[in-house]
Every structure is written in C-alpha cells, then in structure tokens.
Amino acid sequence: MQDFIDELPKLAKDKHNENKKFLAKLKKKPPKKLDYIMQELHDEEFNRTDCLQCANCCKTTGPLFTDKDVERISKHLKMKSSQFEMQYLRRDEDGDLILQQTPCTFLGVDNYCSIYEVRPKACREYPHTDRKKFQQISNLTLKNVAICPAAYNIVEKMKANMPL
C-alpha cells in the first residue's frame, strides 16, 4: 500500500489532463443514475480499501472546520471553543478555519484518529466519492486522486465503465 501512496502524486499528475477532460464531460452531461453509480463504486472500493493502512489524507492535508465542528470537538475535549481554535486551528487566506499543521494533530502513529467519533464533517465525508451530485465537485476530485488511493481507483473505474 505504501508504494502506491508514494507513487500516487505522480500517477495523478500523469492522468491529470485525462481526468480533467473526463470530469468536465461528466459535469456537462451526467448519467441519469450517477448518484447510484457513485454510491456503488464508493462502497465497492471501500470494501477493499482500509483507510487505517493509509491515512494519507490526515498526513498531507487538513479539513475545513465548521463552527459546529469546533463546538462538537471542543466539547468532547472539554475545552472552550475559543481555546480549541487558539490551540489547534488557524484561518487560511480564504478565512476558513483549518489545522495549524499537518499531519493532523489528532492522528496517532497507528493511523487511528483520537477524535474519530466527533471528527469534522469534511473528514467524515472524505474523499466525497459518494456525494450526491458528484459531478459538481470535479475540481475537488482532481485534487483528491493525488492524495487518496480509493479516490484514484474510483475515478479510474468511472473512466473505464462510463464512456462519455
């Protein structure tokens, strides 16, 4: 698995133009049952892929934190929201709350998340391959295939099974 993770940025870069064209076509003319197809592809891939063997998303990127995320996590950690923000988060150039550093502070050496039950919405939904109206997040998907082996595999299966 680690070899695939190490190779992923290069694989994604090599397929970037191909993926960009495919996702642009998908956005223009999505198949009627795209949500259903994506749910199937997502479930199938995550029956094979164990995130605990990877955790590349947690090691290389950080999620956006909503106000609800901050409230829920700080309560779980028995902290004030302001204290949680000051200790763990910062505002990025868009004004979004993100982690101060990567890898994620809450990721253990065993790839387990210490706040898994209350993790941010962005973490719960990652890599967003089962999202409704999937065609609307093509730019995000292009980024995710370079980070997440499952997202990469799902896009490859889409291209093979959905001639557009």
PDB file of all heavy atoms in Angstrom, residues 44-62:
ATOM      1  N   GLU A  44     -17.971  -0.361  -3.129  1.00  0.00           N
ATOM      2  CA  GLU A  44     -17.121  -1.429  -3.641  1.00  0.00           C
ATOM      3  C   GLU A  44     -15.643  -1.159  -3.306  1.00  0.00           C
ATOM      4  O   GLU A  44     -14.931  -2.029  -2.831  1.00  0.00           O
ATOM      5  CB  GLU A  44     -17.302  -1.487  -5.168  1.00  0.00           C
ATOM      6  CG  GLU A  44     -16.877  -2.742  -5.835  1.00  0.00           C
ATOM      7  CD  GLU A  44     -17.203  -2.667  -7.332  1.00  0.00           C
ATOM      8  OE1 GLU A  44     -18.387  -2.846  -7.685  1.00  0.00           O
ATOM      9  OE2 GLU A  44     -16.268  -2.401  -8.113  1.00  0.00           O
ATOM     10  N   GLU A  45     -15.204   0.063  -3.550  1.00  0.00           N
ATOM     11  CA  GLU A  45     -13.806   0.422  -3.294  1.00  0.00           C
ATOM     12  C   GLU A  45     -13.490   0.377  -1.805  1.00  0.00           C
ATOM     13  O   GLU A  45     -12.442  -0.119  -1.403  1.00  0.00           O
ATOM     14  CB  GLU A  45     -13.493   1.809  -3.860  1.00  0.00           C
ATOM     15  CG  GLU A  45     -12.055   2.231  -3.676  1.00  0.00           C
ATOM     16  CD  GLU A  45     -11.032   1.310  -4.326  1.00  0.00           C
ATOM     17  OE1 GLU A  45     -11.293   0.760  -5.412  1.00  0.00           O
ATOM     18  OE2 GLU A  45      -9.946   1.132  -3.731  1.00  0.00           O
ATOM     19  N   PHE A  46     -14.391   0.882  -0.975  1.00  0.00           N
ATOM     20  CA  PHE A  46     -14.101   0.910   0.458  1.00  0.00           C
ATOM     21  C   PHE A  46     -14.312  -0.435   1.146  1.00  0.00           C
ATOM     22  O   PHE A  46     -13.950  -0.595   2.298  1.00  0.00           O
ATOM     23  CB  PHE A  46     -14.829   2.068   1.150  1.00  0.00           C
ATOM     24  CG  PHE A  46     -14.115   3.363   0.923  1.00  0.00           C
ATOM     25  CD1 PHE A  46     -14.505   4.215  -0.089  1.00  0.00           C
ATOM     26  CD2 PHE A  46     -12.996   3.701   1.672  1.00  0.00           C
ATOM     27  CE1 PHE A  46     -13.811   5.397  -0.341  1.00  0.00           C
ATOM     28  CE2 PHE A  46     -12.297   4.871   1.438  1.00  0.00           C
ATOM     29  CZ  PHE A  46     -12.705   5.725   0.424  1.00  0.00           C
ATOM     30  N   ASN A  47     -14.844  -1.411   0.422  1.00  0.00           N
ATOM     31  CA  ASN A  47     -14.826  -2.785   0.925  1.00  0.00           C
ATOM     32  C   ASN A  47     -13.429  -3.379   0.768  1.00  0.00           C
ATOM     33  O   ASN A  47     -13.063  -4.308   1.469  1.00  0.00           O
ATOM     34  CB  ASN A  47     -15.857  -3.658   0.191  1.00  0.00           C
ATOM     35  CG  ASN A  47     -17.261  -3.419   0.705  1.00  0.00           C
ATOM     36  OD1 ASN A  47     -17.445  -3.022   1.859  1.00  0.00           O
ATOM     37  ND2 ASN A  47     -18.247  -3.628  -0.146  1.00  0.00           N
ATOM     38  N   ARG A  48     -12.651  -2.836  -0.174  1.00  0.00           N
ATOM     39  CA  ARG A  48     -11.284  -3.300  -0.432  1.00  0.00           C
ATOM     40  C   ARG A  48     -10.230  -2.434   0.252  1.00  0.00           C
ATOM     41  O   ARG A  48      -9.155  -2.912   0.597  1.00  0.00           O
ATOM     42  CB  ARG A  48     -10.992  -3.260  -1.936  1.00  0.00           C
ATOM     43  CG  ARG A  48     -11.486  -4.416  -2.717  1.00  0.00           C
ATOM     44  CD  ARG A  48     -10.881  -4.419  -4.112  1.00  0.00           C
ATOM     45  NE  ARG A  48     -11.083  -3.176  -4.838  1.00  0.00           N
ATOM     46  CZ  ARG A  48     -12.161  -2.883  -5.563  1.00  0.00           C
ATOM     47  NH1 ARG A  48     -13.121  -3.755  -5.664  1.00  0.00           N
ATOM     48  NH2 ARG A  48     -12.261  -1.745  -6.184  1.00  0.00           N
ATOM     49  N   THR A  49     -10.508  -1.159   0.393  1.00  0.00           N
ATOM     50  CA  THR A  49      -9.513  -0.208   0.902  1.00  0.00           C
ATOM     51  C   THR A  49      -9.695   0.019   2.395  1.00  0.00           C
ATOM     52  O   THR A  49     -10.787   0.366   2.834  1.00  0.00           O
ATOM     53  CB  THR A  49      -9.640   1.141   0.156  1.00  0.00           C
ATOM     54  OG1 THR A  49      -9.428   0.918  -1.233  1.00  0.00           O
ATOM     55  CG2 THR A  49      -8.638   2.154   0.661  1.00  0.00           C
ATOM     56  N   ASP A  50      -8.619  -0.157   3.139  1.00  0.00           N
ATOM     57  CA  ASP A  50      -8.631   0.081   4.579  1.00  0.00           C
ATOM     58  C   ASP A  50      -7.929   1.409   4.840  1.00  0.00           C
ATOM     59  O   ASP A  50      -6.703   1.504   4.707  1.00  0.00           O
ATOM     60  CB  ASP A  50      -7.918  -1.070   5.294  1.00  0.00           C
ATOM     61  CG  ASP A  50      -7.865  -0.899   6.799  1.00  0.00           C
ATOM     62  OD1 ASP A  50      -8.447   0.074   7.337  1.00  0.00           O
ATOM     63  OD2 ASP A  50      -7.224  -1.745   7.463  1.00  0.00           O
ATOM     64  N   CYS A  51      -8.680   2.397   5.221  1.00  0.00           N
ATOM     65  CA  CYS A  51      -8.125   3.734   5.469  1.00  0.00           C
ATOM     66  C   CYS A  51      -7.033   3.714   6.542  1.00  0.00           C
ATOM     67  O   CYS A  51      -6.122   4.541   6.520  1.00  0.00           O
ATOM     68  CB  CYS A  51      -9.222   4.713   5.858  1.00  0.00           C
ATOM     69  SG  CYS A  51     -10.374   5.048   4.499  1.00  0.00           S
ATOM     70  N   LEU A  52      -7.121   2.776   7.473  1.00  0.00           N
ATOM     71  CA  LEU A  52      -6.121   2.694   8.541  1.00  0.00           C
ATOM     72  C   LEU A  52      -4.747   2.244   8.020  1.00  0.00           C
ATOM     73  O   LEU A  52      -3.735   2.451   8.684  1.00  0.00           O
ATOM     74  CB  LEU A  52      -6.584   1.749   9.653  1.00  0.00           C
ATOM     75  CG  LEU A  52      -7.763   2.255  10.471  1.00  0.00           C
ATOM     76  CD1 LEU A  52      -8.252   1.167  11.422  1.00  0.00           C
ATOM     77  CD2 LEU A  52      -7.407   3.522  11.229  1.00  0.00           C
ATOM     78  N   GLN A  53      -4.722   1.658   6.842  1.00  0.00           N
ATOM     79  CA  GLN A  53      -3.450   1.284   6.219  1.00  0.00           C
ATOM     80  C   GLN A  53      -2.825   2.478   5.496  1.00  0.00           C
ATOM     81  O   GLN A  53      -1.677   2.408   5.076  1.00  0.00           O
ATOM     82  CB  GLN A  53      -3.664   0.146   5.208  1.00  0.00           C
ATOM     83  CG  GLN A  53      -4.160  -1.134   5.820  1.00  0.00           C
ATOM     84  CD  GLN A  53      -3.174  -1.708   6.824  1.00  0.00           C
ATOM     85  OE1 GLN A  53      -1.992  -1.815   6.544  1.00  0.00           O
ATOM     86  NE2 GLN A  53      -3.662  -2.054   7.998  1.00  0.00           N
ATOM     87  N   CYS A  54      -3.584   3.542   5.348  1.00  0.00           N
ATOM     88  CA  CYS A  54      -3.158   4.683   4.545  1.00  0.00           C
ATOM     89  C   CYS A  54      -3.069   5.970   5.366  1.00  0.00           C
ATOM     90  O   CYS A  54      -1.993   6.425   5.704  1.00  0.00           O
ATOM     91  CB  CYS A  54      -4.145   4.853   3.380  1.00  0.00           C
ATOM     92  SG  CYS A  54      -3.781   6.224   2.277  1.00  0.00           S
ATOM     93  N   ALA A  55      -4.207   6.562   5.646  1.00  0.00           N
ATOM     94  CA  ALA A  55      -4.322   7.837   6.378  1.00  0.00           C
ATOM     95  C   ALA A  55      -3.568   8.969   5.693  1.00  0.00           C
ATOM     96  O   ALA A  55      -3.179   9.941   6.331  1.00  0.00           O
ATOM     97  CB  ALA A  55      -3.882   7.677   7.832  1.00  0.00           C
ATOM     98  N   ASN A  56      -3.356   8.853   4.386  1.00  0.00           N
ATOM     99  CA  ASN A  56      -2.628   9.879   3.655  1.00  0.00           C
ATOM    100  C   ASN A  56      -3.340  11.229   3.712  1.00  0.00           C
ATOM    101  O   ASN A  56      -2.689  12.277   3.760  1.00  0.00           O
ATOM    102  CB  ASN A  56      -2.404   9.448   2.202  1.00  0.00           C
ATOM    103  CG  ASN A  56      -1.275  10.194   1.555  1.00  0.00           C
ATOM    104  OD1 ASN A  56      -0.242  10.461   2.179  1.00  0.00           O
ATOM    105  ND2 ASN A  56      -1.452  10.550   0.293  1.00  0.00           N
ATOM    106  N   CYS A  57      -4.659  11.207   3.734  1.00  0.00           N
ATOM    107  CA  CYS A  57      -5.414  12.463   3.835  1.00  0.00           C
ATOM    108  C   CYS A  57      -5.063  13.191   5.136  1.00  0.00           C
ATOM    109  O   CYS A  57      -4.829  14.399   5.148  1.00  0.00           O
ATOM    110  CB  CYS A  57      -6.917  12.222   3.710  1.00  0.00           C
ATOM    111  SG  CYS A  57      -7.590  10.974   4.827  1.00  0.00           S
ATOM    112  N   CYS A  58      -4.978  12.442   6.221  1.00  0.00           N
ATOM    113  CA  CYS A  58      -4.670  13.020   7.533  1.00  0.00           C
ATOM    114  C   CYS A  58      -3.208  13.460   7.640  1.00  0.00           C
ATOM    115  O   CYS A  58      -2.875  14.355   8.411  1.00  0.00           O
ATOM    116  CB  CYS A  58      -4.953  12.022   8.643  1.00  0.00           C
ATOM    117  SG  CYS A  58      -6.612  11.331   8.617  1.00  0.00           S
ATOM    118  N   LYS A  59      -2.356  12.820   6.868  1.00  0.00           N
ATOM    119  CA  LYS A  59      -0.926  13.113   6.919  1.00  0.00           C
ATOM    120  C   LYS A  59      -0.540  14.302   6.039  1.00  0.00           C
ATOM    121  O   LYS A  59       0.460  14.955   6.304  1.00  0.00           O
ATOM    122  CB  LYS A  59      -0.120  11.880   6.488  1.00  0.00           C
ATOM    123  CG  LYS A  59      -0.228  10.724   7.458  1.00  0.00           C
ATOM    124  CD  LYS A  59       0.425   9.479   6.891  1.00  0.00           C
ATOM    125  CE  LYS A  59       0.226   8.291   7.831  1.00  0.00           C
ATOM    126  NZ  LYS A  59       0.700   7.037   7.223  1.00  0.00           N
ATOM    127  N   THR A  60      -1.323  14.547   4.989  1.00  0.00           N
ATOM    128  CA  THR A  60      -0.895  15.543   3.998  1.00  0.00           C
ATOM    129  C   THR A  60      -1.804  16.752   3.844  1.00  0.00           C
ATOM    130  O   THR A  60      -1.374  17.760   3.292  1.00  0.00           O
ATOM    131  CB  THR A  60      -0.748  14.882   2.608  1.00  0.00           C
ATOM    132  OG1 THR A  60      -2.018  14.370   2.197  1.00  0.00           O
ATOM    133  CG2 THR A  60       0.278  13.764   2.634  1.00  0.00           C
ATOM    134  N   THR A  61      -3.051  16.635   4.258  1.00  0.00           N
ATOM    135  CA  THR A  61      -3.981  17.755   4.102  1.00  0.00           C
ATOM    136  C   THR A  61      -4.758  17.953   5.397  1.00  0.00           C
ATOM    137  O   THR A  61      -4.755  17.084   6.261  1.00  0.00           O
ATOM    138  CB  THR A  61      -5.012  17.506   2.973  1.00  0.00           C
ATOM    139  OG1 THR A  61      -5.791  16.369   3.314  1.00  0.00           O
ATOM    140  CG2 THR A  61      -4.336  17.290   1.634  1.00  0.00           C
ATOM    141  N   GLY A  62      -5.411  19.053   5.493  1.00  0.00           N
ATOM    142  CA  GLY A  62      -6.241  19.309   6.663  1.00  0.00           C
ATOM    143  C   GLY A  62      -7.647  19.664   6.241  1.00  0.00           C
ATOM    144  O   GLY A  62      -7.846  20.291   5.198  1.00  0.00           O
TER     145      GLY A  62
END
